[in-house]
Structures are given as C-alpha cells and as structure tokens.
Amino acid sequence: MIPKRARVSAPAAIPVVSAPTAAPSVPVERADAAPRPANASESIVVTGSLFRDPNTRSASPVTRLTAQELQRRGVKSVSDALQQLSSNGAGTLTNSWSAGGGFAAGSSAPSLRGLSTDSTLVLMDGQRLSYYPLADDGERNFVDINWIPMSIMQTVDVLEDGGSATYGADAVAGVVNLITRKQIQGWEANAEGGVAQNGKSGHQKLSLTYGHGDLSRDGYNFYINGEYQQDDPYYYRQAGAPYNTGDETALGGSNGNYNNGLNSSGAIQRFGATTVPIVRPSDGGTGGVGAWQLLNPSAGCSGPGVGSLVTGIASAGDNGRSQACERNAQQYAQISPSLRRIDATAHFTANVTDKSQLVAMFTYGQVQSVVTGTTPSAVRVQSQDRSINTLTTPLPVYLPNGQLNPNNPFAAQGEPAEINYLFGDLIPTTTELSQNYRGSLDYNGYVPSSWGGDWDYDANFVGMNSTLDQTITGVPTIAGIENAITSGSYNFVDPSKNSQAVLDSIAPKNHIHARSEEYSLQGTLSKGLFHLPGGMVKLAIGGNFRYEALNDPSANTYDLGDPNQYTGLINPVSAFGHRWVESGFFEVNAPIIKMLDADVSGRYDHYSEGFSHFSPKVGVTFKPTEKLWLRGTFSKGFRVPSFAETGGTTVGYTTYTPSDPDFIAAHSVGGAPTAYAQSYSLGQRTIGNPNLKPETSTSFSGGPVFQPTKWLSLTADYYYIRKNHYITPNPINVFGVADAWIANNNAYPSTGLPVSVRPDIPDTAVAAGAPLRPAEIDVGYVNANKETTDGFDLALQAHSRLPGLLHDVMWVSQGRATYVHSLNLTLPNGGGTEHFAGTIGPYGAVSASGTPHWKANWSNTLTYKKLSVTPTVYYTSGYRTTAEDQTGPDSRYDCANQLTGSFSPSQCHVKAWWDVDLTVSYDITPKLTAYVNVYNLLGFRSPYDFATYGGYLYNPAWSQNGVVQRNFQFGVHATF
C-alpha cells in the first residue's frame, strides 16, 4: 500500500531543529489498510523490504542517517557518513589508505561488521550500482561511494543485517541504501571552504539546485543539481613532528632517514640515493670501486627533503659508503590525496494518474584523485621481473658523438663512472579519473481491489557505466634509464636543465582504461490477501534480470627480457568477466496478533557462470507492551565470487634466497655464488579460478527496543554472522614451492592444488644448461575455510525541550555504539583458528586497519531560536599490535608477537582514540544560514600505531583527524 505522504520540502544545509528525526533502528507501528485518497501515489523506498509501505514493522535493525542529522554533525560527504558508522569495521577502504598505495586508489567503501568491502551491498533508491573498476586488494569487487552527490540525499539507510533474501549477492554483512530526495522546489545554493589549523589541507565545496513543480498541486516535480568539491593533498611533511620525518628517536625508536650519520665503523648508515647525485669510478660495468663523492660539489646538498653532507670512511666492506646527503624518508609520502568531485543530476517525478507515478533520474559523477609515490625513482634499479636492470650500467667515458661525457667526472682519466641518484624531477604520480553514468526509471502505483488489499506494482530499470582512466607518470623504464645514462641526454650535473621531452623519454606516460557495467530490470507485485487478528496478511513477489561486466587490464608486461618494462609495478592487477543473473523473490508479512508479527522472505538467484543460490530470511517482532518491543531475524546469504577471483591476476613480490646446495654450486664462479644464486625478488601471481563456489552465510540478529517515554528510545541488538567457503588465495608457502621446484630439477610435484612455477631466464655468468631459478609462483583462489563474527549494537535517541528557564531550547541526542566480540578465521586442513577482535589483525588482507572492540559516536544538538550547536563525540577503543594471520593461531595475547615498524619502539597496545567535532549554525534570515564546522575541536593527537602499514605512525582507518589536528570549515546555505 502507498499511503499519501506530505510534500517533501528542501532541507537547509544546517537547519534549525523543530522536531526530532525518527529513532534509529526503531520499527514503526503498522497502520492497517485504509481507503486511499486521490493523488496518493508516491515513489517510496523501504530498505530491507519489498513492500512500499513505510509503516511496515521491521524486525531487522536499520540505522537511518537523515540529511538533517548529517548536516548538523558537519558530515560533508556520503563517504564520511559511512566511514563514521559504528558498525563499519576492519577492511574499511578510506581515501587515506589509497594515498598510501592501495590497489583501489581513488575510491572509498565501508566494511560492515569487518567482513571486507565485498560483503557490504551499496544501493541507490533500492537499485544496484556498478562496481568500481579496480578491485580492493586486487581481489574484492565493491561499489565506490566517493562519487555520490551529497546534496540530493534524503537519507542514508544502513541495514545492519543479512539482506540477500531481498537483494541477492554481496549483502552478507548488510546493505547501504542511499535514498535521494523526492522533491525540491526553488533554488538552493551552498558554498563552503576550509583549512587545517596549520594552513594546509584546503577544502572547497559548492552546490546549486533548482526545482520546479509541486506533486500535490501540479502533479510533477523536476529538479537539477550540481556539486563541486576539491580537497587538497596533505603530505606528512606538512603535518609536523613526528610524522614529517623518518627519524623516530624522539619516540624511543631509531633514525629511519637515509644517510643519517655514521655507524661504529665510520661508514654511512642507511646508505641510499638522494636527489643529489653521487658517483665513483666503475670497474668497467660489473660494479664500482673506491669512494662515493658528490657529482657537483659546488651545488652541495640542496633540494626537497635533502639535508647536510655526511662523510664517512670508505672501505671495501661497506661498498664505499663515504659521502652522501641526508634524506628524509617522509618527504614525499601523502596522508591524503588530492581529491576532486563533480556531480550533475536531473530528477523528474510525475503523477501519471491519481494511482501511479513515474520517476526518472540521471546522474553523472566524476572523481579525480592524484596520488604521489613515497619516493622518486632511482637510477640504479632492477626491473619488476628482475632479469634486466641498471644496477651496473656505468656513465661512459665518451658519448655516442665521441665527446667526453660531461656527466662523468672521471672521463678525462678514461674511467667510466657508477652513479647513484633519485630522479627528483620524476615523482611517481597516479591520477585516477573515474566517471559514473547512471540512469534509472521507476513506474509504480496501485490498482484498487474489492477483496483484501489493493494491488501494488512497481517496475524499474537502471543502467550504469563506470569508467576509470588511470594515468601514471614519473615511473621510468629500464630502457629509459639506460639511455639517460649512456647517451648523455639527461643532465645529472644540473637536473634543473632537463627538458620535459627528456623526462618523458625516461618515464613515458602510461594510461589504462578500465570499465564496469550494470544493467538491471525488475518488477514487483504485492497485495493484501486476508486478515488475521493482528491485521492484513500481505504477499509480494518479483523478478529481476540483470547484466554485470568488468574489464580492467594490467599495465605490466611479463616478458622477462623486455627493456621497456617499468621499473616498478604499476596497477599490478587485472580482472575480466561478465555475467547474466536471473532472480525470483517473495516476501510474506503476517501480523498474527496485535503483539506478534512475522515476516518471511526468500530469493533464488541463477548466474550464467553456472551456479545458483536460494537465500531465505525470517523476521519476528513481538510487542508485549507499548514501551518494549522484541525483534529477531534469521537469514541465509551469499557473496558471489568477484571478477578478479574468477578471471583476473594480482602480482606481488617478496625476497627469496635459494638454499639448495646443488643449485648454488651450479651458479658459482671461482667458488663464489653469482648474483643469480643470491637473494632476489620472487614473484607471486594470484590467478582467477573460474570454478570457485560462492561464499555462503548464516546470520542472526535480535534484541529489545525500549521506549519508556515519547521522547526517548533505546535499542540493543546482538548479531552473529558465519561465512562458509571463504574465498582466499591458495594458502601455500611460496618459499616451499620455490625450494621444491629447484630441488626437483625445475619441476613442481603435482599436489592437486592450483599452483605452477614460471622459470626465470638463464644465468649468463655460467655455462649453458645450468638449472633455472623460479621467477614467479602462480597460485589460484580457492574455497578454503570459514569466517565468523559476533557482537552488539546499541543505539540511543532522545528529543525534548529543556525544563524551566531553558524551555525555549530544543535538545536532540543520538548515539550509536558497536562492540565486536569476535572476528575469527578458521584455517583449512586443521590449521586452527585466527582471532582478530581487539588486535591489529587481520593484517595482510585489510591494510592492517585492525579490529577494535568498541566504536561509537554520540551527537547532541541544542537549538535556541536562530542558533543551533551540535558537538559530536567519536570513540574507537585501543587494540593490541598483534595479528594472528602473521604469527599463528592463539598468539594474540603474547607481546613477544607484537608487530612494529623497522625503526619504531616496542609497542604492545595502541591507545584508544577520542575525537570531538563541533558544528554551529545561525539563521541570518529565514532563507540564509551561516555555519562553521570544527573537526577535532580539542586538538587530540592520533594514538601512535607503530604496527600498521596503512599509515605512518597512526592508523588512517580510525584516527586521521588526529594527524591533521584541528580543521575548520565555514559555509553558507541559501534558498530562494
């Protein structure tokens, strides 16, 4: 049934609170069927249900974030709103993690219940969105939320319960439903700007909306909207101590900067290249002799991140570490990237008849992020496949034209020179430009019926394309570096004189175009059937037919002898695939008696890849008194294998040292092993497995809803989720595979598992026929084990006028908290169980974001006449710096297993993080409001986290505001 609803007016950016918003997670008493007045049709989206009746009582916990609440809290984007959810846990994908080198740069996504981004389904108006073209961690498909326009959002509904029975795949941990505004009239404009307290991290945002027509009076409404947002990059060097340096001695650690002084032998510590070139005589191409010295002593040590000259004592044992400039290891790293967002939306609603309505919408969203590398590229490198390198390519005595090489200070003596240098004019930079095109149509209404309830129908179509253009600059090729060294085209003496053409010849631009698609056609029919003592029994049935596709090519070649290889891995992933999905679903709502309501739903999905799945769900609400409700759900769900897991590749490298004595003997000259038999970078390529089964899930939720007064409500829910057939890369020891392959004469014994070995090219230093070493271990994804999590959600909603003399002050309070009791991964083949709750695990798969036990937020709004003040407190509990996916099951309580950075002090526990934000708004006129947002009002510093690799000295998943410190935003909102 679609009851008539009051006209929706456009909310102000920071409105004065005149009435409370609906309590979070509180079901609403259902109104029984009643005759519908004329023009009663309106497009209604009810998250977690097929019934388009907003009064239907829900047994599932749903957190509803209204536009009003988010604006009061100073939340400026959908991404920020979801990242701050208390139920958003381990594996959350933040823009800060992208800046640190994440595979899915330029994107953001929540991870409800800590089950990773691929187990949270994100919808818009109940319809699916296309995947981001890059996979999270090279494996997981997810929906990017960076591009979503904020100013047209009416509510953000978060179903914190299994949703596969209604929505199908990927709703294992929950569903995020972004519900857009139904009607806007007149003009709205918003402008804001901001900056951190140190004058950095600039922010600008503009939005403009125009709407015309009144659905109740004119029968239609049309609005157009545009948004622009620019967030400037923020570098560690801008953040102040200790984040702006690799020297951690002030924290009790050691100095992690390069060339940071002398060791006990008088040699330079952490000897490394800088943007000031150093040279020494070469022995003809296989190495260097003598001591290093500045190529251009008159220029000295100058340039970004370079400090004073360090001079040591050269010796044969220290590789001639005699002279170099200091270098700050944190000079180039980013805390957050440059992020620009542009959105444009056209929305049209028309009452076609007094019993039906048409909604059409088109949205274009563009996001551009620019991420720089942590250090410039070096002149002495190995290629990504190790087989060719510039480690021993010397500066020649003569250039190709016969003149003495001006870059070689030893040319006059007839000696080639070895050079060590960072290309300060070639900073590796990745620009991600995602463009999202989404169009949707929805036609819904009802047909009166003489028995039972009316026939309600809905038919909708959505089509969405997401493209991603990834442009990578500043990464040299092997051939480019060799040419710069040997031809003299690059001026090493004075790099400022190098032209852009020279730089481009060394580091040619790389461009990758990726794309994903989503097309969906759905129809739903519902009807009231008959009455029970509690009310009308309703049935809904429907079907869905959709197409999904993804094409993400890799930028890397796998030709081991190709000199045009880039010196580093750039977009080292690929994913390909497409599929058709046919689905049928139903829902039955049965109010058995006034105090007892049952809801049963189910969905059958068939995939063209060859698998099918049925997902049932049962929900029950019991209301013994007006002040106390009890509710609970039981459901099954599934996650479909991603396109990367079935048809993609992900490449990474690790250091491996051959140990087989026969192999070492075969690769020795004069009794000494060649470089071929020493430590090198061994590749691991994870290849998609088309025979994977879906992950399946079992979920339970339940708890009380307590409403002791009209102005206060409290909810508590327990949740439990178990995922079976957990998809993971084959958990095999690649070092063991390499050892076995070498020992078995370049053959790997068959184990029945998807493992193969790719041989390297021959060692040119020894006679032909010597055994080869492994270049790459290829493994596949497997269904290996299970994952479980459980915990509690708590919510509070209160609204009241203050007593006595403060009667004119309205108070609205909203609080949410989540306690993660457990997050466990059971290993295959009796390998035990890894426990992550309360630790920094899982470590490898989710950027070491960790699993804090508690996460909470509490906002309180006080409104007096034209003034509104809202402080919001955020809390994340501390956690141990142990991770059982690194040190084995049952090792989390032993501080001897703590993880820490190479130069960081010992740390067994990361402290809790508190943050207080403040928003103040004032209505200058009824149509003009000014506001200010202050983030991290009290200036709390991020607790030090020496274990995570997601950020430097802090965890970007939870405490980025503590690195930026106070951040101020000022804005105005106008309607006219």
Side-chain angles (χ1 to χ4, degrees), residues 35 373 444 488 508 554 556 850 877 909 926:
N444 67 89
S554 173
N556 300 277
S877 62
H909 188 271

Side-chain angles (χ1 to χ4, degrees), residues 817-860:
T818 296
Y819 174 75
V820 180
H821 173 255
S822 71
L823 178 63
N824 300 333
L825 182 65
T826 300
L827 302 177
N829 304 320
T833 298
E834 297 170 347
H835 308 81
F836 301 126
T839 77
I840 200 170
Y843 191 83
V846 293
S847 67
S849 55
T851 309
H853 277 303
W854 281 101
K855 191 178 177 188
N857 60 79
W858 184 29
S859 67
N860 289 271

Side-chain angles (χ1 to χ4, degrees), residues 118-119 128 161-175 601-603 605 607 612-618 634-640 693-700 720-725:
D118 57 4
S119 293
R128 282 183 175 254
D161 195 13
S164 290
T166 301
Y167 301 111
D170 306 341
V172 170
V175 178
S601 57
R603 180 179 177 119
D605 294 275
Y607 281 73
S612 303
H613 193 269
F614 176 70
S615 305
K617 183 173 184 176
V618 177
F634 175 84
S635 63
K636 297 279 190 176
F638 73 109
R639 181 183 78 82
V640 63
K693 299 176 181 179
E695 294 179 349
T696 60
S697 68
T698 300
S699 302
F700 169 79
Y720 170 85
I721 305 172
R722 185 186 71 216
K723 287 178 28 172
N724 293 319
H725 309 304

Side-chain angles (χ1 to χ4, degrees), residues 542-875:
N544 176 266
F545 185 65
R546 75 176 189 270
Y547 174 77
E548 300 174 341
L550 185 142
N551 180 13
D552 173 30
S554 173
N556 300 277
T557 69
Y558 293 99
D559 181 351
L560 300 186
D562 182 5
N564 292 310
Q565 290 183 63
Y566 285 90
T567 57
L569 288 171
I570 54 177
N571 186 39
V573 299
S574 66
F576 305 92
H578 64 92
R579 57 191 171 217
W580 294 94
V581 187
E582 299 105 22
S583 307
F585 42 85
F586 74 91
E587 182 176 358
V588 176
N589 182 260
I592 300 170
I593 56 178
K594 285 293 183 182
M595 66 176 64
L596 181 63
D597 190 290
D599 192 277
V600 179
S601 57
R603 180 179 177 119
Y604 179 81
D605 294 275
H606 173 71
Y607 281 73
S608 59
E609 294 151 305
F611 55 81
S612 303
H613 193 269
F614 176 70
S615 305
K617 183 173 184 176
V618 177
V620 176
T621 62
F622 176 61
K623 188 177 182 182
T625 72
E626 289 297 323
K627 296 182 179 181
L628 178 66
W629 293 26
L630 301 175
R631 62 186 179 186
T633 66
F634 175 84
S635 63
K636 297 279 190 176
F638 73 109
R639 181 183 78 82
V640 63
S642 72
F643 288 119
E645 290 166 336
T646 58
T649 60
T650 303
V651 182
Y653 287 90
T654 186
T655 300
Y656 168 69
T657 304
S659 59
D660 184 85
D662 294 334
F663 176 84
I664 294 174
H667 290 277
S668 295
V669 177
T674 68
Y676 200 84
Q678 299 179 32
S679 298
Y680 69 101
S681 294
L682 174 67
Q684 177 176 327
R685 184 162 61 140
T686 307
I687 303 174
N689 178 1
N691 298 316
L692 288 174
K693 299 176 181 179
E695 294 179 349
T696 60
S697 68
T698 300
S699 302
F700 169 79
S701 71
V705 178
F706 182 49
Q707 295 178 291
T709 70
K710 292 182 178 180
W711 59 269
L712 175 65
S713 65
L714 303 167
T715 67
D717 289 283
Y718 171 77
Y719 68 87
Y720 170 85
I721 305 172
R722 185 186 71 216
K723 287 178 28 172
N724 293 319
H725 309 304
Y726 186 75
I727 298 174
T728 181
N730 186 357
I732 197 166
N733 186 322
V734 293
F735 294 157
V737 172
D739 290 341
W741 190 81
I742 290 174
N744 201 41
N745 296 318
N746 293 172
Y748 182 64
S750 176
T751 61
L753 296 173
V755 178
S756 61
V757 179
R758 187 181 186 207
D760 210 334
I761 62 175
D763 181 3
T764 57
V766 299
L772 303 178
R773 68 184 182 184
E776 184 177 85
I777 310 297
D778 291 348
V779 301
Y781 292 98
V782 295
N783 293 104
N785 39 29
K786 69 177 180 179
E787 186 177 33
T788 61
T789 184
D790 76 322
F792 295 90
D793 288 324
L794 307 173
L796 171 151
Q797 172 83 22
H799 61 91
S800 177
R801 293 196 178 276
L802 297 185
L805 297 177
L806 300 178
H807 179 73
D808 290 335
V809 177
M810 170 64 78
W811 168 59
V812 174
S813 181
Q814 294 174 311
R816 301 176 182 91
T818 296
Y819 174 75
V820 180
H821 173 255
S822 71
L823 178 63
N824 300 333
L825 182 65
T826 300
L827 302 177
N829 304 320
T833 298
E834 297 170 347
H835 308 81
F836 301 126
T839 77
I840 200 170
Y843 191 83
V846 293
S847 67
S849 55
T851 309
H853 277 303
W854 281 101
K855 191 178 177 188
N857 60 79
W858 184 29
S859 67
N860 289 271
T861 298
L862 297 172
T863 302
Y864 175 72
K865 295 183 178 180
K866 298 179 179 181
L867 180 67
S868 179
V869 179
T870 303
T872 304
V873 180
Y874 297 93
Y875 171 76

